């Protein structure tokens, strides 16, 4: 590990991005992987989460929760990969990853010529990420533009200064982000995103399902991802997005996992409500 990486070790909410990288690295090792992320293992290793080790101290409940979270990360990653391909096929050439973390889509996906991909996050994770990318000699497959700004600040101005053009369609991705924000911050983020979205823009969101904070966060160990979860999706996510000018579709993990050939074998514990995987288009 380089001195640069030692100076920028994960902490706080953004450290969860390294945990997501670990899940993606494990998925990449499967013969039937739903996606391949060649950089995920390097991110996990730099953050001290690789090689993978068993959680011998976990009780059965903790083990089940950990597996459920990992499964959701795999399914949402594939879901948003597909959404990005659809958006690009429709002609969109601007991509914005909000709270980009250790996302490596700029490096692992094929992009149409002229695609500009903006990675918005605070300086610490972007610096950590840059050190790993240099170590790996990674080369982006599109024009990749890191934008170091806190999403609680005026990030649209920073994005514009980096070259984003709100007059052109954009595909926005907020993956594993909104669950960490209070409700008013979620509303502000959506309002700002909508204001920067020309007709023909796309959006991919992951939202915490109803009851997930109580089920996973109530007895979560301090410092774990679930212990920092705050927000759940509204009762009517499609109507919520319509109020901001988006035509949305909502999917559950169960629906998408079955479509990807990896169905959930256990029956639902309760009546399934609208799902937390959201695809939306700006009309």
């Amino acid at each position: 590990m380089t001195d640069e990486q030692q100076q920028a070790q994960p902490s706080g909410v953004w450290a969860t991005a390294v945990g997501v990288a670990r899940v993606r690295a494990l998925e990449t090792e499967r013969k039937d992987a739903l996606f391949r992320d060649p950089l995920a293992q390097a991110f996990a290793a730099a953050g001290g989460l690789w090689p993978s080790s068993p959680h011998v101290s976990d009780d059965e409940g903790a083990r089940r929760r950990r597996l459920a979270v990992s499964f959701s990360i795999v399914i949402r990653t594939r879901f948003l990969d597909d959404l990005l391909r659809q958006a690009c096929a429709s002609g969109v050439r601007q991509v914005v990853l909000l709270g980009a973390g250790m996302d490596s889509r700029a490096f692992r996906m094929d992009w149409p010529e002229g695609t500009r991909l903006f990675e918005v996050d605070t300086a610490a994770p972007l610096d950590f990420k840059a050190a790993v990318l240099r170590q790996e000699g990674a080369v982006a497959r599109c024009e990749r533009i890191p934008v170091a700004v806190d999403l609680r600040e005026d990030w649209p101005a920073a994005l514009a200064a980096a070259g984003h053009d709100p007059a052109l369609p954009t595909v926005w991705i907020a993956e594993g982000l909104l669950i960490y924000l209070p409700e008013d911050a979620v509303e502000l983020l959506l309002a700002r995103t909508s204001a920067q979205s020309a007709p023909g823009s796309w959006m991919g969101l992951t939202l915490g399902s109803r009851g997930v904070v109580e089920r996973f966060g109530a007895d979560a160990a301090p410092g774990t991802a679930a212990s920092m979860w705050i927000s759940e999706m509204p009762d009517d996510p499609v109507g919520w997005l319509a109020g901001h000018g988006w035509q949305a579709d909502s999917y559950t993990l169960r629906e998408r996992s079955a479509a990807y050939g990896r169905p959930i074998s256990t029956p639902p514990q309760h009546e399934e409500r609208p799902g937390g995987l959201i695809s939306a288009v700006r009309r």
Side-chain angles (χ1 to χ4, degrees), residues 77-108:
T77 299
R78 169 62 184 272
F79 173 79
L80 295 173
D81 283 359
D82 289 350
L83 182 147
L84 284 162
R85 293 187 184 100
Q86 287 180 286
C88 288
S90 76
V92 179
R93 295 295 180 267
Q94 290 189 129
V95 181
V96 179
L97 309 179
L98 296 170
M102 299 302 110
D103 191 297
S104 68
R105 289 185 172 98
F107 302 87
R108 67 175 178 81

Side-chain angles (χ1 to χ4, degrees), residues 14-228:
W14 84 260
T16 63
V18 178
V20 171
R22 176 183 174 276
V23 173
R24 289 177 175 155
L26 290 169
E27 176 67 15
T28 298
E29 291 188 328
R30 291 179 59 129
K31 291 183 179 180
D32 63 344
L34 297 183
F35 57 85
R36 304 276 178 195
D37 188 344
L39 290 169
Q41 186 178 126
F43 291 135
L49 297 183
W50 198 271
S52 175
S53 57
H55 295 251
V56 294
S57 61
D58 280 358
D59 60 27
E60 181 62 17
R63 187 187 72 84
R64 288 178 179 273
R65 289 192 294 271
R66 188 179 69 256
L67 291 175
V69 171
S70 297
F71 184 79
S72 71
I73 290 169
V74 170
I75 300 303
R76 81 186 194 198
T77 299
R78 169 62 184 272
F79 173 79
L80 295 173
D81 283 359
D82 289 350
L83 182 147
L84 284 162
R85 293 187 184 100
Q86 287 180 286
C88 288
S90 76
V92 179
R93 295 295 180 267
Q94 290 189 129
V95 181
V96 179
L97 309 179
L98 296 170
M102 299 302 110
D103 191 297
S104 68
R105 289 185 172 98
F107 302 87
R108 67 175 178 81
M109 293 181 65
D110 293 324
W111 298 98
E113 184 176 353
T115 300
R116 310 183 80 204
L117 186 149
F118 300 86
E119 295 191 5
V120 181
D121 213 325
T122 55
L126 288 177
D127 289 347
F128 174 91
K129 186 175 190 175
V132 176
L133 293 173
R134 284 193 295 271
Q135 174 185 291
E136 297 299 307
V139 178
R141 298 183 179 185
C142 61
E143 183 181 0
R144 173 181 174 264
I145 306 168
V147 183
V149 63
D150 193 311
L151 289 170
R152 294 169 295 185
E153 299 171 358
D154 188 5
W155 60 265
L159 189 60
H164 177 259
D165 185 351
L168 298 176
T170 301
V171 52
W172 306 86
I173 300 295
E175 179 177 5
L177 169 66
L178 303 186
I179 199 169
Y180 294 102
L181 303 178
E183 186 176 337
D184 58 344
V186 172
E187 287 291 340
L188 178 59
L189 187 75
L190 182 57
R192 285 175 162 177
T193 300
S194 301
Q196 307 300 311
S197 299
S201 293
W202 289 60
M203 181 187 294
L205 304 178
T206 63
L207 303 172
S209 58
R210 303 298 292 178
V212 72
V213 172
E214 179 181 354
R215 293 197 308 274
F216 284 74
D219 58 352
T224 61
S227 71
M228 295 181 274

